[in-house]
Amino acid sequence: MTSGALRTTSAGLPGSADPLVTAYDLAVLDLDGVVYVGPDAVPGAADALARARTAGMALAFVTNNASRPPQAVVDHLVRLGVEAHLDDVVTSAQVAARMLADRLPAGSPVLVVGGEGLRITLVENGLRPVGTMDDAPVAVVQGFSPDMTWRLLAEGSRAVRAGLPWIASNLDMTFPTPHGPAPGNGALVGAVAAAAGRRPDDVAGKPAPGSFHEAARRNSSTRPLVVGDRLDTDLEGAVNAGMDGLVVLTGVSTASDLLLCSRAVRPTHLGRDLDALHVAHPAVDPQDVDGRTTATSGGAAVAADGDVLSVVRPGDDALDLLRAGCVAAWTVVDAGRTPDVTGVLAALAALEPDAAWAR
């Protein structure tokens, strides 16, 4: 399996002369913050994905939310007008269950610190989900559930203290809701870890590469593109999986996150939303202009004066300004320093004062 071979090893953005729907054969899509937020679709997402399928791009929906079985994810997507099938969905619960099935004898009891999504996929993989230590589990699996109780966390802590192998579906510290971030599975795992005195033995979901590789395997993809809104899970996972990544600005990560990010979480492409799949993306590289490292995208140009970023030209497109700002900032980050990005953020806010991401 190979990616689109566009990922850059420099501080630049490699761009794509072709629309991403033709440059890649598969979009590996995060859900929360990309396709929907809570129960509601991101505006325009269903139409953008339908056009991507029509253009010949396969779609896979990869989620770290282990609380729902794949059919529930499919049903949610269909209600929002997004075509989806069971094989299109890869959950962290599925990856965790497969990891356990590869390590344990068939029929082994596994303590589930989580919800229905984990229990169903354990059964599908030949294992027996249990809810207490009285059932003599041989391993522990923990995933997000909005119905998590103190008693279940306490039972998980008891099992982990006893030394049972412990797999977490994911370590996302927050979970997106229409009212803002709420505690995610990482926070709940932290509660068990604090009580038990150790961390999980393994993590199934993003940013580990397993979910991305599973999506590519199912679709026989040779040119997958990861699409996400979070640098610390989606884009770090893309880097770990050796795949190119598109970050969209409809979810968690903001302009300041992008400007200050390290190579470990750095995207290949930037877009406002899923319409970014249908356009070419400019290549942006740092250049030496009058003794300053300067990056230009469209009508926007940003220079690095030492560690301070200066907006040479804001242009009229906030996304071009963000691209130029990122490339200029990354030259400072890659030198081991922290850039002062206040001028870029002020210019972005002036161009798009109502955009939540422009901060």
Side-chain angles (χ1 to χ4, degrees), residues 28-198:
V28 184
L29 296 136
D30 177 53
L31 288 171
D32 293 303
V34 175
V35 181
Y36 54 68
V37 175
D40 301 318
V42 170
D47 177 67
L49 293 177
R51 288 186 287 124
R53 283 196 189 273
T54 299
M57 178 178 252
L59 305 180
F61 302 99
V62 175
T63 177
N64 268 1
N65 184 350
S67 66
R68 296 191 298 171
Q71 186 61 58
V73 177
V74 169
D75 293 343
H76 185 184
L77 289 168
V78 170
R79 284 196 301 273
L80 298 178
V82 177
E83 179 185 345
H85 312 278
L86 271 179
D87 283 348
D88 297 335
V89 177
V90 180
T91 72
S92 60
Q94 290 177 313
V95 178
R98 175 171 289 190
M99 292 168 67
L100 286 166
D102 288 343
R103 302 172 188 182
L104 301 174
S108 294
V110 177
L111 179 68
V112 177
V113 184
E116 181 185 19
L118 276 172
R119 290 190 289 270
I120 288 175
T121 193
L122 284 173
V123 171
E124 291 173 345
N125 281 270
L127 300 172
R128 180 164 61 91
V130 300
T132 75
M133 282 291 281
D134 295 338
D135 294 313
V138 296
V140 182
V141 64
Q142 182 171 359
F144 177 79
S145 171
D147 301 316
M148 186 73 71
T149 65
W150 177 89
R151 291 187 183 278
L152 191 51
L153 289 171
E155 200 70 11
S157 301
R158 177 186 170 195
V160 171
R161 280 198 311 274
L164 296 188
W166 178 23
I167 291 182
S169 66
N170 66 289
L171 296 178
D172 295 4
M173 292 304 295
T174 60
F175 185 84
T177 77
H179 309 292
N185 194 54
L188 300 173
V189 166
V192 173
R198 69 181 179 95

Side-chain angles (χ1 to χ4, degrees), residues 10-14 258-259 266 270 283-287 293-297 302 304 309 321-334:
S10 75
L13 289 165
L258 281 159
L259 290 163
R266 201 167 284 170
L270 307 179
V284 184
D285 289 302
Q287 306 289 335
T293 299
T294 302
T296 302
S297 178
V302 177
L309 298 192
L321 177 58
L322 179 59
R323 289 188 180 109
C326 282
V327 171
W330 294 345
T331 64
V332 179
V333 172
D334 290 351

Side-chain angles (χ1 to χ4, degrees), residues 1-8 14-18 20 22-26 57 221-226 238 241-245 268-269:
M1 179 184 67
T2 61
S3 73
L6 296 176
R7 183 172 291 282
T8 180
S16 174
D18 299 316
L20 301 185
T22 54
Y24 299 90
D25 62 4
L26 169 69
M57 178 178 252
S221 172
T222 59
R223 293 176 290 116
L225 174 70
V226 175
M243 298 177 182
D244 288 355
T268 317
H269 309 291

Side-chain angles (χ1 to χ4, degrees), residues 268-335:
T268 317
H269 309 291
L270 307 179
R272 283 185 176 82
D273 52 32
L274 289 175
D275 280 338
L277 292 171
H278 298 280
V279 297
H281 288 248
V284 184
D285 289 302
Q287 306 289 335
D288 189 325
V289 179
D290 297 329
R292 298 190 300 176
T293 299
T294 302
T296 302
S297 178
V302 177
D305 292 310
D307 294 348
V308 178
L309 298 192
S310 301
V311 177
V312 179
R313 295 188 305 277
D316 55 10
D317 185 334
L319 196 59
D320 274 331
L321 177 58
L322 179 59
R323 289 188 180 109
C326 282
V327 171
W330 294 345
T331 64
V332 179
V333 172
D334 290 351

